[in-house]
Amino acid sequence: MEKKKFYITTPIYYPSDKLHIGHTYCTVATDTLARYHRLLGEDVMFLTGTDEHGQKIEEKAKEAGVSPQEFVDRIVDGPRGVRDLWKLMNISNDRFIRTTDDYHVKSIQYIFRKMHENGDIYKGSYKGKYCTPCESFWTESQLKDGCCPDCGRPVKDAEEEAYFFRLSKYADKIRDLLENTDFLEPRSRVHEMVRNFIDPGLEDLCVSRTSFSWGVPVDFDPGHVVYVWVDALSNYITALGYGNDRYDDYEQGWWPGVNIVGKEIVRFHSIIWPAMLMSLGEPVPKKCFGHGWLLLDGGKMSKSKGNVVDPYILAEQFGVDALRFFLMRTFPFGSDGNFSNELLIQTINTDLANDLGNLVSRTTAMVGKYFGGELPAGCGSWADPAPFDTELKTLASGLRDRYAAAMDAFAPHNALAEVFKVIQRANKYIDENAPWALAKNMEANGSRLAHVLYNLLEAARICGILLTPFMPESMDKLFAQVGADAGCQTWESAARWGGLSETAAVAKGENLFPRVDMEKALEELEAAVEAARQAESGVELEPQLTEQVDFDTFCKSDFRVVKVKSCEAVKKSEKLLKFILNDGTGVDRQILSGIHKWYEPEDLVGKTLVAIVNLPPRKMMGHESNGMLISAIHKEKGEEVLHLLMVDDAIPAGAKLC
Ligand code: MSP
């Protein structure tokens, strides 16, 4: 029998900057769902990729002094780029599309032409409010406080000759799709879309641009490039071969698929995308699921706010599986959630180290200690089960179906909550049976002890199967430790208590999830973030000197706080500034400093600085200098950067540094 086909996608990412934990959240979630469907035995196609056209990329490339193609290539394929990140995070995508791929470009031209030929795309002129970072035109009524409703940044008036898509023609059909089917989830997003976009009346959509050129050219009207969202949304079908001969999966029945997207792009995916498909005469997606955002300190992460969380650093410090798990366990998938490092560490310690890790390590250690790593044949059954035996078995055998219901409802957090109920029950079962007490009299209690341990291995095995989509690598290790071979790692066997061989070889291996020392880990994280920031900004620091200076020599240097009374450039010198300083003695002190490259004299008057005041006087360009102002200096992208040391104005002139 042919396997059921399941096609699932993430949004394709803008490679305008490196990806952060928010992007990772969305991709990990989609990967988890894809792996779940593979576990179900379905034939899965999982697509991700990058959305590489548009004005923003064109501008960024210009700033960086490279061509747009070079710019995106670097972020997609370069070190620590998009592909590297997905590899690191163990993302199991079957296909990766780039909108600059030739076959996609060809398909976009085909799609645009087809909609033009059927009358759904027509030429007009566009007047509106344009948000450059979001590449979106807005109507006056859609603006929020006069700014872009998506990103809050200022918009500008724009007018250009453009092609339009007859979105308005599809308003009733889209309303029907949203209101009368379960196409869009969670349901709250339906109300949002209808209230904000359908009820006020759908307007035709501007789908070409002439103001920049980094995009797919409209082949029948050079000078126009296809609007980036038409280009981007179509990736879900061009990657299957729609309109190109690179793939033939579209004809093979892979479409329609499931589109997982973040909440701010639900509008594009639940209104514009289905309308485009209707115009092309193709089926709409099976589902659009709009997940929430990961917030930092209650706000959205963004490079410009400087509050992005780097997934590389977290994965390297805590492990890929721990990070994947945390993202799925902690934040209800449809809602926003507040990210914090403390929460991540707490989740690792509570769920992974204490609950799951302990269950596996205690159980496998006891099988090793009391039975040499192999339980006796027959230990799986017990003639007169105790109530807690039955409770554990019933809870674990029914787990698979409760888990499936949650996963099918796009609620991986609920699926995990079910799994952890069983893990916690199993840990309680250890205490109820006190295996260490049974082990004191092996002759009388040995077979009961073996049965107890078998039940624990079984509970761990079943949970392990269901945790595989979340933590694939760690669950392979778990299976090896509890002795579960491939035959008892299947979806079918997750609902079958007793699937594990009674005499399986059990081995206590490495600790699956070591406990994290919160304080130490936070300090290490801070250092890693700082190191990454410096590496990115190109900051080079002088190596620290290893030669020691004795204390008495050091104490001979007299550092004082000084206040700038006046400051002027020294004539005929490009570098020198002449300072008159109050050093607390009542007599003005003159110091010359070669810092004009970094400071204008008028900006320094009134500042509180630090100087060494017992250097011998020195003549510079005919002026005497009595001391030296203290600065910090480093290199950035090969250039020297200097910062005068400025201290609290409350410190009086003349205060001695010690
Ligand atoms: N290129 C478009 C998508 C085109 S799909 C046809 C785009 N790219 S994006 O890189 O800006 O965002 C990609 C996805 O990452 C979006 O679904 C977005 O919601 C998600 N996230 C970006 N920041 C996020 C958080 N802080 N939290 C959760 N997801 C967020 O949009």
Side-chain angles (χ1 to χ4, degrees):
M1 203 180 74
E2 211 197 329
K3 283 184 179 179
K4 186 175 162 197
K5 287 186 165 68
F6 182 76
Y7 177 43
I8 188 162
T9 66
T10 69
I12 47 173
Y13 296 90
Y14 280 128
S16 59
D17 272 312
K18 295 217 163 154
L19 301 189
H20 58 61
I21 195 75
H23 306 113
T24 308
Y25 172 62
C26 173
T27 306
V28 165
T30 313
D31 183 65
T32 304
L33 292 166
R35 287 176 184 271
Y36 161 64
H37 282 267
R38 288 195 198 102
L39 184 61
L40 291 178
E42 294 173 11
D43 203 0
V44 171
M45 168 97 71
F46 169 19
L47 172 74
T48 187
T50 42
D51 174 8
E52 306 184 0
H53 289 127
Q55 193 168 1
K56 186 157 74 176
I57 302 276
E58 193 176 83
E59 282 169 5
K60 285 233 164 188
K62 205 167 160 202
E63 266 169 41
V66 293
S67 72
Q69 189 64 57
E70 280 172 293
F71 181 82
V72 290
D73 284 352
R74 209 186 281 169
I75 300 187
V76 176
D77 284 325
R80 293 192 160 223
V82 180
R83 285 196 212 257
D84 276 1
L85 178 61
W86 297 156
K87 204 164 154 209
L88 173 75
M89 293 308 300
N90 219 345
I91 301 302
S92 62
N93 55 298
D94 301 283
R95 206 157 279 177
F96 188 101
I97 188 170
R98 298 181 60 179
T99 53
T100 49
D101 287 337
D102 288 348
Y103 73 91
H104 172 81
V105 170
K106 188 169 161 250
S107 291
I108 294 304
Q109 291 178 327
Y110 168 78
I111 287 169
F112 202 87
R113 224 179 313 122
K114 194 166 172 190
M115 295 197 293
H116 185 247
E117 279 162 14
N118 71 21
D120 275 352
I121 283 184
Y122 62 93
K123 203 174 201 173
S125 129
Y126 193 88
K127 246 192 191 163
K129 306 283 177 191
Y130 189 65
C131 173
T132 308
C134 296
E135 322 217 24
S136 289
F137 268 102
W138 300 98
T139 58
E140 195 82 48
S141 63
Q142 285 169 332
L143 300 180
K144 219 164 136 193
D145 303 325
C147 293
C148 170
D150 271 354
C151 73
R153 280 178 270 214
V155 289
K156 57 182 185 198
D157 286 322
E159 179 170 6
E160 57 185 36
E161 180 193 77
Y163 285 93
F164 284 82
F165 172 60
R166 287 189 204 283
L167 189 58
S168 56
K169 173 175 154 189
Y170 294 97
D172 291 343
K173 283 189 174 171
I174 299 291
R175 181 189 287 279
D176 185 47
L177 177 71
L178 293 176
E179 289 185 334
N180 302 323
T181 74
D182 56 8
F183 157 70
L184 175 60
E185 284 189 67
R187 206 65 204 159
S188 57
R189 308 253 180 249
V190 171
H191 305 309
E192 234 173 86
M193 290 301 117
V194 171
R195 192 182 52 234
N196 296 344
F197 302 105
I198 310 281
D199 283 348
L202 271 189
E203 292 175 23
D204 288 353
L205 178 75
C206 179
V207 289
S208 80
R209 299 284 185 266
T210 51
S211 49
F212 61 91
S213 59
W214 182 240
V216 177
V218 175
D219 55 357
F220 55 86
D221 195 350
H224 285 259
V225 294
V226 174
Y227 171 50
V228 74
W229 274 102
V230 169
D231 173 4
L233 289 162
S234 307
N235 91 91
Y236 301 127
I237 56 175
T238 65
L240 298 176
Y242 183 87
N244 64 69
D245 44 24
R246 170 77 182 270
Y247 300 109
D248 66 354
D249 305 294
Y250 198 83
E251 293 88 69
Q252 303 298 323
W254 279 95
W255 186 254
V258 170
N259 297 145
I260 305 291
V261 304
K263 66 177 187 179
E264 85 283 20
I265 56 174
V266 164
R267 173 170 84 102
F268 299 96
H269 284 82
S270 66
I271 296 178
I272 299 171
W273 177 221
M276 278 172 60
L277 287 161
M278 288 171 187
S279 167
L280 293 169
E282 303 297 338
V284 300
K286 267 192 212 140
K287 177 80 62 194
C288 170
F289 188 90
H291 65 75
W293 282 345
L294 284 197
L295 306 174
L296 202 68
D297 304 323
K300 198 173 181 220
M301 287 175 212
S302 80
K303 178 92 182 172
S304 55
K305 279 201 235 160
N307 67 349
V308 291
V309 176
D310 184 344
Y312 272 102
I313 294 179
L314 296 179
E316 279 160 1
Q317 178 147 356
F318 301 109
V320 169
D321 277 353
L323 180 57
R324 289 176 59 111
F325 173 80
F326 162 71
L327 293 173
M328 294 296 94
R329 166 78 159 141
T330 315
F331 309 108
F333 194 41
S335 326
D336 289 351
N338 260 312
F339 175 90
S340 82
N341 292 324
E342 287 81 354
L343 195 56
L344 166 61
I345 297 169
Q346 266 164 24
T347 309
I348 295 175
N349 284 343
T350 310
D351 290 343
L352 296 180
N354 278 4
D355 288 354
L356 176 60
N358 263 342
L359 170 65
V360 176
S361 68
R362 286 163 91 192
T363 307
T364 52
M366 289 189 286
V367 177
K369 186 168 170 199
Y370 306 135
F371 295 96
E374 188 177 320
L375 296 177
C379 67
S381 15
W382 193 253
D384 183 18
F388 32 76
D389 292 351
T390 315
E391 222 179 280
L392 179 64
K393 276 185 213 174
T394 313
L395 197 68
S397 323
L399 172 61
R400 190 194 76 170
D401 294 344
R402 294 191 300 278
Y403 166 99
M407 291 298 268
D408 292 342
F410 297 89
H413 55 288
N414 287 340
L416 285 176
E418 290 297 337
V419 174
F420 274 76
K421 278 185 205 156
V422 175
I423 292 172
Q424 282 149 10
R425 184 66 194 83
N427 275 321
K428 189 167 160 219
Y429 181 81
I430 300 184
D431 299 334
E432 286 162 342
N433 283 284
W436 44 90
L438 293 173
K440 286 198 178 128
N441 185 350
M442 285 300 274
E443 209 175 308
N445 300 326
S447 43
R448 172 69 196 161
L449 176 60
H451 182 65
V452 166
L453 294 179
Y454 179 81
N455 286 346
L456 290 167
L457 292 175
E458 259 306 70
R461 176 189 70 90
I462 289 175
C463 292
I465 298 173
L466 303 176
L467 288 174
T468 303
F470 296 86
M471 298 184 284
E473 274 182 18
S474 307
M475 292 310 105
D476 276 349
K477 291 184 192 156
L478 179 148
F479 291 139
Q481 295 189 9
V482 303
D485 59 22
C488 61
Q489 297 172 15
T490 62
W491 178 250
E492 290 66 37
S493 77
R496 206 173 53 234
W497 183 267
L500 185 72
S501 155
E502 291 168 334
T503 56
V506 174
K508 180 175 166 14
E510 64 174 297
N511 203 346
L512 289 179
F513 302 102
R515 230 191 126 67
V516 178
D517 177 331
M518 170 84 77
E519 211 173 307
K520 193 163 154 255
L522 288 176
E523 265 170 33
E524 285 168 2
L525 262 185
E526 209 172 297
V529 169
E530 181 52 27
R533 201 190 60 77
Q534 284 190 6
E536 206 173 301
S537 67
V539 170
E540 299 159 45
L541 299 177
E542 287 273 319
Q544 291 190 5
L545 298 179
T546 47
E547 194 190 336
Q548 296 191 336
V549 57
D550 68 74
F551 189 68
D552 291 342
T553 310
F554 167 73
C555 288
K556 287 183 187 155
S557 308
D558 194 356
F559 292 99
R560 299 286 171 150
V561 169
V562 293
K563 309 244 175 199
V564 181
K565 292 177 78 173
S566 70
C567 178
E568 62 184 51
V570 173
K571 283 196 190 95
K572 293 197 188 134
S573 166
E574 281 182 10
K575 290 191 201 160
L576 283 180
L577 294 181
K578 185 171 87 177
F579 290 83
I580 302 298
L581 303 159
N582 169 5
D583 63 2
T585 59
V587 180
D588 287 348
R589 174 177 292 272
Q590 175 170 301
I591 290 183
L592 280 96
S593 185
I595 60 170
H596 200 173
K597 181 172 167 196
W598 297 281
Y599 291 99
E600 287 308 318
E602 57 274 18
D603 295 337
L604 294 173
V605 176
K607 296 283 188 238
T608 308
L609 310 176
V610 174
I612 175 165
V613 293
N614 60 339
L615 290 177
R618 213 176 132 197
K619 275 244 158 119
M620 299 162 93
M621 304 279 286
H623 301 267
E624 187 172 287
S625 181
N626 290 293
M628 193 174 87
L629 292 171
I630 307 301
S631 316
I633 196 151
H634 70 272
K635 277 197 177 156
E636 209 162 299
K637 298 188 177 135
E639 283 263 312
E640 210 152 65
V641 183
L642 177 139
H643 312 260
L644 267 178
L645 201 64
M646 295 192 193
V647 293
D648 192 337
D649 288 331
I651 308 175
K656 184 172 164 61
L657 269 76
C658 55

